[in-house]
Amino acid sequence: MTITPPALSVFETLESEVRSYCRSWPAVFDRAQGARLTDEDGHTYLDFFSGAGSLNYGHNNPVLKRALIDYIERDGITHGLDMATTAKRAFLESFQSNVLRPRDLPYKVMFPGPTGTNAVEAALKLARKVKQRESIVSFTNAFHGMSLGALAVTGNAFKRGGAGIPLVHGTPMPFDNYLDGQVPDFLWFERLLEDQGSGLNKPAAVIVETVQGEGGINVARPEWLRALSDLCHRRDMLLIVDDIQMGCGRTGTFFSFEEAGITPDIVTLSKSVSGYGLPMSLCLFKPELDIWGPGEHNGTFRGNNPAFVTAAAALDAYWADGQMEKQTQARGEQIEQALLAICDEHARLGAQFRGRGLVWGMEFTDKSRAVAVCARAFELGLLVETSGPQSEVVKLLPPLTVTPEELDEGLRTLARAVRETA
């Protein structure tokens, strides 16, 4: 398939220079269904990006679409602030019965605003309020959002630089294997906490991603996460798991931390929690942490009722039994075998891969190669993106509902893109 870039005049002349994804994919998209998008010229593309993980159930999932259409057609409430509505009740009941209760998780549910960074800001604010301390520890190559509090615990220098002011009250620590296994886990962190002369104020909390999506698909080992949880407990720090991109089944289990057998104090969710790409986020926390005063953390768009409708439909359709988890694990093994073959074929390029479930990354010795691979993949009809501080990792985020045939097609396209840019 040969794709001719469209005339993008209004986007180029009117839209801000801050636009990004559209630069990698120079097409004007018009329709989408499942794992495929179609541009206005009729070209189709396999989507292995899934709205940066916000479309785990694919585009216009028919089950969720039917629930949404029925709700709109009966004049269900669209915008409801934080009022009690039938849609919110149905979501909370479904979330409790399909997610929290089967995992014996005691969390209270907070609707902080529509985006992931809203959830992170609420988590940081709550941790500081509970512990009456201001310092937060994060990790190298972390990404937690673009608002100022979330940026302060984000590692990417380019994104941090956009703040325009000092980003304070956050301290980075080495993520799992950051020091290539040469230093025992948390040696530096423990030493700083013990030493009264270290300059580290006692943290209120530690925030971590179990798999760093934007940071380069860096996968934390279960034993590392368990040791971190133990450290937080011993040192009277809250543990916040940012599950915004890796939650909602992306790694196999609904929450990405389940494999490690830990129970974080606070969890943030967004992206695919609505299931349909509608803005929605959650901040979950243990009941004893719920010390908010009414309206103390507010937001106009906390009550996105259409998102509640599709979220409940997604939970009922895909998380009432264990089939989605098993399917994701099987699809993940399919990707792993394909990436192993690609890396074996291109061993001279230093190709290597890593991932869990349906999130995978492939990196080359030449860090610029990932950009070229993604560009060629687009020309061949596959949407993939880069991640990592130097855009050095090819990132795969296919929908959880992708079929084995679609997955095979996309992986063959990826292999061709690597071959033709080698």
Side-chain angles (χ1 to χ4, degrees):
M1 176 172 65
T2 301
I3 298 171
T4 303
L8 299 173
S9 57
V10 70
F11 304 107
E12 294 171 342
T13 60
L14 188 59
E15 191 178 358
S16 167
E17 292 299 319
V18 79
R19 65 191 188 277
S20 60
Y21 293 121
C22 57
R23 298 179 188 273
S24 301
W25 304 324
V28 179
F29 296 102
D30 182 50
R31 303 184 312 281
Q33 217 293 312
R36 298 185 188 273
L37 292 97
T38 304
D39 69 20
E40 62 181 353
D41 296 321
H43 300 120
T44 60
Y45 306 77
L46 259 179
D47 183 4
F48 275 24
F49 191 58
S50 302
S54 63
L55 293 166
N56 280 2
Y57 311 106
H59 295 270
N60 288 304
N61 181 288
V63 175
L64 312 190
K65 180 167 66 174
R66 185 71 264 161
L68 180 59
I69 290 172
D70 289 347
Y71 183 76
I72 292 172
E73 285 186 338
R74 73 169 184 81
D75 291 331
I77 293 172
T78 297
H79 177 259
L81 296 169
D82 71 345
M83 296 185 292
T85 65
T86 55
K88 182 194 283 189
R89 180 174 60 199
F91 165 72
L92 286 170
E93 291 173 346
S94 180
F95 192 70
Q96 184 176 49
S97 62
N98 290 314
V99 177
L100 297 181
R101 192 173 290 143
R103 293 161 180 81
D104 197 26
L105 293 172
Y107 296 133
K108 297 290 289 292
V109 179
M110 175 184 179
F111 300 99
T115 71
T117 201
N118 291 140
V120 169
E121 294 287 351
L124 300 180
K125 184 190 289 189
L126 180 60
R128 287 170 169 138
K129 179 178 174 65
V130 168
K131 292 300 182 183
Q132 293 295 296
R133 306 177 208 138
E134 78 282 354
S135 179
I136 304 289
V137 165
S138 57
F139 290 94
T140 50
N141 289 311
F143 179 78
H144 296 291
M146 299 297 286
S147 51
L148 292 180
L151 270 182
V153 291
T154 287
N156 187 285
F158 174 72
K159 292 180 171 62
R160 289 175 63 89
I165 62 171
L167 297 171
V168 297
H169 307 305
T171 302
M173 293 292 165
F175 190 72
D176 190 13
N177 204 38
Y178 184 74
L179 299 172
D180 301 321
Q182 298 180 28
V183 177
D185 294 337
F186 307 113
L187 175 65
W188 175 240
F189 194 0
E190 290 263 26
R191 188 68 55 83
L192 290 178
L193 290 170
E194 292 168 356
D195 186 358
Q196 296 299 306
S198 70
L200 175 65
N201 295 332
K202 186 172 183 179
V206 176
I207 185 168
V208 67
E209 303 154 276
T210 66
V211 180
Q212 294 181 325
E214 298 304 309
I217 317 300
N218 305 311
V219 183
R221 293 166 297 142
E223 56 267 32
W224 187 86
L225 292 168
R226 286 192 289 270
L228 175 61
S229 178
D230 177 67
L231 173 61
C232 288
H233 179 74
R234 286 189 288 107
R235 296 289 184 174
D236 188 32
M237 303 177 296
L238 298 179
L239 177 60
I240 304 169
V241 168
D242 181 341
D243 236 3
I244 287 165
Q245 188 166 95
M246 297 304 154
C248 302
R250 176 53 57 182
T251 65
T253 53
F254 186 87
F255 294 107
S256 70
F257 55 80
E258 291 181 51
E259 181 187 22
I262 62 174
T263 303
D265 299 291
I266 303 175
V267 180
T268 59
L269 284 177
S270 186
K271 296 226 182 250
S272 275
V273 69
S274 82
Y276 205 73
L278 300 174
M280 177 180 172
S281 74
L282 305 177
C283 186
L284 313 176
F285 38 81
K286 293 179 177 178
E288 62 268 26
L289 304 180
D290 194 9
I291 63 171
W292 292 115
E296 189 173 4
H297 187 88
N298 219 326
T300 302
F301 293 100
R302 290 181 292 163
N304 186 353
N305 282 264
F308 297 155
V309 170
T310 56
L315 294 175
D316 292 340
Y318 295 104
W319 294 99
D321 55 31
Q323 292 308 305
M324 176 57 74
E325 182 176 340
K326 293 176 182 177
Q327 177 177 299
T328 298
Q329 291 171 346
R331 303 285 192 272
E333 291 171 3
Q334 185 179 347
I335 293 179
E336 185 174 13
Q337 292 305 308
L339 293 183
L340 178 61
I342 293 173
C343 289
D344 283 348
E345 180 183 350
H346 300 283
R348 65 182 178 80
L349 302 177
Q352 55 181 319
F353 66 94
R354 51 190 178 266
R356 276 179 62 194
L358 280 174
V359 51
W360 292 85
M362 183 167 54
E363 186 175 2
F364 306 90
T365 301
D366 178 0
K367 295 186 181 298
S368 66
R369 188 172 301 280
V371 173
V373 169
C374 291
R376 182 58 182 147
F378 171 78
E379 293 171 349
L380 296 171
L382 175 68
L383 300 187
V384 287
E385 251 293 354
T386 61
S387 72
Q390 301 177 62
S391 299
E392 73 274 22
V393 177
V394 177
K395 179 180 184 181
L396 307 181
L397 287 173
L400 307 187
T401 52
V402 66
T403 67
E405 295 75 22
E406 290 169 331
L407 204 50
D408 182 63
E409 176 187 344
L411 291 167
R412 282 188 283 105
T413 302
L414 176 65
R416 179 180 170 188
V418 173
R419 194 174 302 119
E420 293 181 359
T421 55

